Amino acid sequence: EAFGSDRLMFGTDFPFITQEEIGYKGAVEMVSSWLSSRSEDEKTAVMGGTAERLFGSWDNKSNGTR
């Protein structure tokens, strides 16, 4: 493998994905199916953990400050 889950993150071209037949939900389901054989930690990383590590927490508690 060239890249592990610590270097991958899920993303779409939202809001344009909503105009496609697959839609946002379908995109999430497709990527989740690709990750089905991976550990929970790897799934969590790809589906949000890597982005949070890179960009910071997206919780509402920060109120736009970091």
Side-chain angles (χ1 to χ4, degrees), residues 13-60:
D13 61 347
F14 185 86
F16 304 105
I17 188 70
T18 61
Q19 298 170 4
E20 300 296 323
E21 183 177 332
I22 190 172
Y24 185 80
K25 181 181 178 185
V28 170
E29 289 171 350
M30 183 183 329
V31 173
S32 294
S33 74
W34 295 342
L35 296 171
S36 64
S37 64
R38 300 298 181 169
S39 73
E40 286 302 313
D41 286 343
E42 290 173 308
K43 292 175 193 176
T44 299
V46 173
M47 298 306 288
T50 300
E52 187 171 340
R53 184 174 46 83
L54 181 63
F55 300 117
S57 177
W58 291 77
D59 66 18
N60 292 329

